[in-house]
Amino acid sequence: LSFARVIGTLRDFSKIKSKIDVVFSTVPIKDVEKLFIVKPIMSQSELKILKKRVLRETNGGVQEEAGQLLEK
C-alpha cells in the first residue's frame, strides 16, 4: 500500500479516480469501491484499528492470514 497524494477537492478527485484503488476520506464519496471514512485527527488505537480493517478488506488481508497460518 502506498499513498499517491492528498487530494483536496472532489473535483480534483473525479479527474483521477479511475487510477485509485483505495480512498481515505473524512466525508462520504459516491461511486468509490473501497472507501474508508476517517476522522481528521485519529488516536494511535484508532490508527491500528483502521490498519487492520484496511488489510482485511484489501489484498493485504490475504497476506496477513497466510502469515498467521505459517506461524502456527
Side-chain angles (χ1 to χ4, degrees):
L1 181 64
S2 61
F3 294 92
R5 67 174 126 168
V6 174
I7 300 169
T9 66
L10 288 174
R11 182 178 297 167
D12 293 340
F13 173 74
S14 66
K15 294 176 187 175
I16 63 165
K17 79 177 187 178
S18 64
K19 300 175 186 177
I20 296 175
D21 297 319
V22 177
V23 175
F24 299 91
S25 176
T26 57
V27 296
I29 302 174
K30 293 180 183 180
D31 302 324
V32 175
E33 188 174 327
K34 291 185 182 173
L35 172 66
F36 295 91
I37 304 294
V38 297
K39 295 179 181 179
I41 299 174
M42 299 174 68
S43 68
Q44 287 299 314
S45 61
E46 290 171 321
L47 289 170
K48 285 181 184 179
I49 292 168
L50 175 62
K51 181 179 178 180
K52 287 181 181 181
R53 184 173 163 223
V54 170
L55 287 173
R56 187 176 60 245
E57 295 183 24
T58 62
N59 292 337
V62 173
Q63 293 170 353
E64 183 179 84
E65 290 172 16
Q68 290 172 352
L69 289 174
L70 292 173
E71 291 174 3
K72 292 182 180 182

